[in-house]
Structures are given as C-alpha cells and as structure tokens.
Amino acid sequence: MRKTAALSVLLCCTLLCGCKKEPAEARTDSPGSTSAGFESESSRSDGPARDSTPHVLVPSADGSDVDGSDTVTIDTSNTDQGYIMVQYTGDNPKVKLQITTPGEDTYTYLLSQEKIYETFPLSGGDGSYYFAVLENVEGDMYSVAFEQETDVRITDEFLPFLYPNQYVSFSPDSQAVEEGRKLTEGAHTDLEAVAQIYHFVTDTIVYDTEKASSVSYGYLPDVDETLRTGKGICFDYASLTAAMLRSQRIPTRLEVGYAGEAYHAWISCYVEEVGWIDNLIEFDGSSWSLMDPTFAASTSRQALKQFIGDGSNYTVKYYY
C-alpha cells in the first residue's frame, strides 16, 4: 500500500490580478537553506541517481475524432490521454471555452485569437464532459457558438497533470525543461528532484509587484520569460515550477482556490513514495515541512508556519 502524505507548494497569486503581499519578516534562513521547505537529511538518498532526462508529453490534434462548426474545432482524439484541443478561427475578439466536468465543476478559459490549437486538461477524471465555445455579444453577454458532450475514459489518472496545457505551457525546446534537467542531475529520488526545483524557484525568482498591480483578466504565464527575467507574479511561479516538474515525469497540479478570502494559485505534486503532496500537512514530522515558495523567499520559517497554519483555510476550486 502506498503511504499518503500531504504537503502543498503554495504559490500565492490571483489569476485575475496580482496578489497583495503583506510586509514580510526578515528571513532567518540563509539563501539556499533547505530548512524553509525540506529537511536536507530526509530528502536525500544513497544509491544511483534517478534519470533526469526530460520526458515531455506533446499534445496533438490528430483529427481522428473532431467536431465543431465553421469557426470552432474541438479535437477529442486524445481524451484518453486527459486533454482536448480547441481551435477558434472566427473574428469575434472575445471567445470563451467552458468545460463542465463529470462532477459538474465548470472551468472557463479565454481562447486565443491566433487561430491555433490550444490544449485544455480534463481535470475531472472519467465521465461525461460538456464543452461549450461562447462568443461575446456585448458587454458581459455571450452566446453559444458550439457545444457538445463527450464521454471520457482516461488511461492513466496522472496524464492530465503531465501534459502541457494553456496554463502550464512548455515544449521539449523550452528553456524551463532544460533548466529542470540541470537542476535534477544527481538527484536520487523524486523527492530530492522536487526539492532542487523548489529551492531554485524560491532563491531565483523575484516577485514582480509592478506586474501584479497591472495584470489583466486572461493573463497567461510564459515559463521561459519568467526564467529569463527572474521575476513574475505568483501565477508565474506556479506555472514555471509545474512545467519543470512535469518534464521530470512528476505529476503536478496547478491548483486555484482561496486562502482565507484571497484568491490564490499553488501547486501540489505526486511522488510514488508518499502520494499526493497537498493540504499542508507535514509528512512524518521530519521528512517534509511546510512549503510556500513565494513567502519562503522572504520570511522566517516561524512566520511561514503562522501564515499557513494547519491548512484548513485553504480551499481548492480548480485543478489544471
């Protein structure tokens, strides 16, 4: 039986606007110290190193199962892999995609105006999905341009959280993928690989307060730009970390919900040794400790624990 542990990697951000950061206490851990997120003794192992060769799953619109209209194409050829691809070729400047899961959760995305296929995860697992493409009429009013229902059976429950998608966008040529490879070279376990990537993000990426105050609805992160500039809002933190972990074959969910009354994004990842790492519960009391890259970069460990508490004030609404 697999041992289930819980620990969340909180990367605070809002998808609609930048999150507000409270004044931080001075950090007592030195840069690069493992005590902010991991105990170094427990995250390392003896024996051969794991294979750090990137493994990027590339989504494709195969065309074997397609439906749509004159302006909308929904390719469901690879629903068994945990995703669909959607292309809008019309002229309406404001177009949305809604995906309603078997559990009746509705995910809303903005579609690109570049007339390209975009990838969207089937985060609700197996069952019947409803897809609707909506065109703007005026103001906040939209009409349905196309809709369909599709029955989905995913071959592996982790696939939606290994493939790239609109929110976690990367390719085999992405610099973030290469950086993930370099960071995890020599790591013996997935846990150690997570630790290496986590500390890189917390020690390297700077929170961009100017961007946070001006980001608009529909903003999508660019993982390579975040890596190149070394700064971003918390949505950028989450997307970059998820991209590097997914390219290392570590299933990672970008999660959106509420921390108290604040709308935030964070990630949780799955490693075989412990199961899903989420809900902010420490593992074994020593192997894992609380992780929050945004705050860990600038606060003391005690302040971080006080901020997170027991995790009961965190509510997940969406998985990407």
Coordinates of all heavy atoms in Angstrom, one line a residue, residues 26-63:
A26 N 12.0 39.6 8.4 CA 13.3 39.3 7.8 C 13.5 37.8 7.9 O 13.2 37.1 8.9 CB 14.4 40.0 8.6
R27 N 14.0 37.3 6.8 CA 14.3 35.8 6.7 C 15.5 35.5 7.6 O 16.5 36.1 7.5 CB 14.5 35.4 5.3 CG 14.8 33.9 5.1 CD 14.8 33.5 3.7 NE 15.1 32.1 3.6 CZ 15.0 31.4 2.5 NH1 14.5 31.9 1.4 NH2 15.3 30.1 2.5
T28 N 15.3 34.4 8.4 CA 16.4 34.0 9.2 C 17.2 32.9 8.6 O 18.3 32.6 9.0 CB 15.9 33.5 10.6 OG1 15.0 32.4 10.3 CG2 15.2 34.6 11.3
D29 N 16.6 32.2 7.6 CA 17.4 31.1 6.9 C 18.2 31.8 5.8 O 17.8 32.7 5.1 CB 16.4 30.1 6.2 CG 15.5 29.5 7.2 OD1 16.0 29.0 8.2 OD2 14.3 29.4 7.0
S30 N 19.4 31.3 5.6 CA 20.3 31.8 4.6 C 19.8 31.4 3.2 O 19.1 30.4 3.1 CB 21.7 31.3 4.8 OG 21.7 29.9 4.7
P31 N 20.1 32.1 2.1 CA 19.6 31.8 0.8 C 20.1 30.3 0.5 O 21.3 30.0 0.7 CB 20.3 32.8 -0.1 CG 20.5 34.0 0.8 CD 20.8 33.4 2.1
G32 N 19.2 29.6 -0.1 CA 19.5 28.2 -0.4 C 19.4 27.2 0.7 O 19.5 26.0 0.5
S33 N 19.1 27.7 1.9 CA 18.9 26.8 3.0 C 17.7 25.9 2.8 O 16.7 26.3 2.4 CB 18.7 27.6 4.3 OG 18.3 26.7 5.4
T34 N 17.9 24.6 3.2 CA 16.8 23.7 3.0 C 15.7 23.8 4.0 O 14.6 23.2 3.9 CB 17.3 22.2 2.9 OG1 17.9 21.9 4.2 CG2 18.2 22.0 1.8
S35 N 16.0 24.4 5.1 CA 15.1 24.4 6.2 C 13.8 25.1 6.0 O 12.8 24.9 6.6 CB 15.7 25.1 7.5 OG 16.0 26.4 7.2
A36 N 13.7 26.0 4.9 CA 12.4 26.6 4.6 C 11.4 25.7 4.0 O 10.2 25.9 4.1 CB 12.7 27.8 3.7
G37 N 11.9 24.6 3.4 CA 10.9 23.7 2.7 C 11.2 22.3 2.9 O 10.3 21.5 3.0
F38 N 12.4 21.9 3.1 CA 12.8 20.5 3.2 C 13.9 20.3 4.2 O 14.7 21.1 4.4 CB 13.3 19.9 1.8 CG 12.3 19.9 0.7 CD1 12.2 21.0 -0.1 CD2 11.6 18.8 0.5 CE1 11.3 21.0 -1.1 CE2 10.7 18.8 -0.5 CZ 10.5 19.9 -1.3
E39 N 13.9 19.1 4.9 CA 15.0 18.7 5.7 C 16.0 18.0 4.8 O 15.7 17.0 4.2 CB 14.5 17.8 6.8 CG 13.5 18.4 7.8 CD 14.1 19.6 8.5 OE1 15.3 19.7 8.6 OE2 13.3 20.4 9.0
S40 N 17.2 18.5 4.7 CA 18.1 18.0 3.7 C 18.5 16.5 4.0 O 18.6 15.8 3.0 CB 19.4 18.8 3.7 OG 20.0 18.8 5.0
E41 N 18.5 16.1 5.2 CA 18.9 14.7 5.5 C 17.8 13.8 5.0 O 18.1 12.7 4.6 CB 19.0 14.5 7.0 CG 20.2 15.3 7.7 CD 19.8 16.7 8.0 OE1 18.6 17.1 7.7 OE2 20.6 17.5 8.5
S42 N 16.6 14.2 5.0 CA 15.5 13.3 4.7 C 15.1 13.3 3.2 O 14.4 12.5 2.7 CB 14.2 13.6 5.5 OG 13.9 14.9 5.3
S43 N 15.6 14.4 2.5 CA 15.3 14.5 1.1 C 16.3 13.9 0.2 O 16.2 13.9 -1.0 CB 15.0 16.0 0.7 OG 16.2 16.7 0.9
R44 N 17.4 13.4 0.8 CA 18.5 12.8 0.0 C 18.6 11.3 0.3 O 18.3 10.8 1.4 CB 19.8 13.5 0.4 CG 19.8 14.9 0.0 CD 21.2 15.6 0.3 NE 21.1 17.0 0.0 CZ 22.2 17.8 0.2 NH1 23.3 17.4 0.8 NH2 22.1 19.1 -0.2
S45 N 19.1 10.6 -0.7 CA 19.2 9.1 -0.6 C 20.5 8.7 -1.2 O 21.2 9.4 -2.0 CB 18.1 8.4 -1.4 OG 16.8 8.8 -0.9
D46 N 21.0 7.5 -0.7 CA 22.2 6.9 -1.3 C 21.7 6.1 -2.5 O 20.6 5.9 -2.8 CB 22.8 6.0 -0.3 CG 23.4 6.8 0.9 OD1 23.8 8.0 0.7 OD2 23.4 6.3 2.0
G47 N 22.7 5.6 -3.3 CA 22.4 4.8 -4.4 C 22.5 5.6 -5.7 O 22.9 6.7 -5.7
P48 N 22.1 4.9 -6.8 CA 22.2 5.6 -8.1 C 21.3 6.8 -8.2 O 20.2 6.8 -7.7 CB 21.9 4.4 -9.1 CG 21.0 3.5 -8.3 CD 21.5 3.6 -6.9
A49 N 21.7 7.7 -9.1 CA 20.9 8.9 -9.3 C 19.7 8.5 -10.2 O 19.8 7.6 -11.0 CB 21.7 10.0 -9.9
R50 N 18.6 9.2 -10.1 CA 17.5 9.0 -11.0 C 17.8 9.5 -12.3 O 18.7 10.4 -12.5 CB 16.2 9.7 -10.4 CG 16.3 11.2 -10.4 CD 15.1 11.8 -9.7 NE 13.9 11.7 -10.4 CZ 13.6 12.5 -11.4 NH1 14.4 13.5 -11.9 NH2 12.4 12.4 -12.0
D51 N 17.1 9.1 -13.4 CA 17.3 9.6 -14.7 C 16.7 11.0 -14.9 O 15.5 11.2 -14.7 CB 16.7 8.7 -15.7 CG 16.9 9.1 -17.2 OD1 17.7 10.0 -17.4 OD2 16.3 8.4 -18.1
S52 N 17.5 12.0 -15.1 CA 17.0 13.4 -15.2 C 16.7 13.8 -16.6 O 16.4 15.0 -16.9 CB 18.0 14.4 -14.6 OG 19.2 14.4 -15.3
T53 N 16.8 12.9 -17.6 CA 16.4 13.2 -19.0 C 15.0 13.7 -19.1 O 14.1 13.0 -18.6 CB 16.6 11.9 -19.9 OG1 17.9 11.4 -19.7 CG2 16.3 12.3 -21.3
P54 N 14.8 14.8 -19.7 CA 13.4 15.3 -19.8 C 12.5 14.4 -20.6 O 12.9 13.7 -21.5 CB 13.5 16.7 -20.5 CG 14.9 17.1 -20.2 CD 15.7 15.8 -20.2
H55 N 11.2 14.3 -20.1 CA 10.2 13.5 -20.8 C 9.0 14.4 -21.0 O 8.2 14.5 -20.1 CB 9.9 12.2 -20.1 CG 9.0 11.3 -20.8 ND1 9.2 10.7 -22.0 CD2 7.7 10.9 -20.5 CE1 8.2 10.0 -22.4 NE2 7.3 10.1 -21.5
V56 N 8.9 15.0 -22.1 CA 7.8 16.0 -22.4 C 6.8 15.3 -23.3 O 7.0 14.9 -24.4 CB 8.3 17.3 -23.1 CG1 7.2 18.2 -23.4 CG2 9.4 18.0 -22.2
L57 N 5.6 15.2 -22.7 CA 4.5 14.7 -23.5 C 3.9 15.8 -24.4 O 3.6 16.9 -23.9 CB 3.4 14.2 -22.6 CG 3.8 13.0 -21.6 CD1 2.6 12.7 -20.7 CD2 4.2 11.8 -22.4
V58 N 3.8 15.5 -25.7 CA 3.4 16.6 -26.6 C 2.0 16.4 -27.1 O 1.7 15.4 -27.7 CB 4.4 16.6 -27.8 CG1 4.0 17.7 -28.8 CG2 5.8 16.8 -27.4
P59 N 1.1 17.2 -26.7 CA -0.3 17.1 -27.2 C -0.4 17.3 -28.7 O 0.4 18.0 -29.3 CB -1.0 18.2 -26.4 CG 0.0 19.2 -26.1 CD 1.3 18.5 -25.9
S60 N -1.4 16.6 -29.3 CA -1.6 16.8 -30.7 C -3.1 16.7 -31.1 O -3.9 16.1 -30.4 CB -0.9 15.6 -31.5 OG -1.4 14.4 -31.1
A61 N -3.4 17.4 -32.1 CA -4.8 17.4 -32.7 C -4.8 16.4 -33.8 O -4.5 16.7 -35.0 CB -5.2 18.8 -33.2
D62 N -5.0 15.1 -33.5 CA -4.9 14.1 -34.5 C -5.9 14.1 -35.6 O -5.7 13.5 -36.7 CB -4.9 12.7 -33.8 CG -3.7 12.5 -32.9 OD1 -2.7 13.3 -33.0 OD2 -3.7 11.6 -32.0
G63 N -7.1 14.6 -35.3 CA -8.1 14.7 -36.3 C -9.0 13.4 -36.4 O -9.8 13.4 -37.3

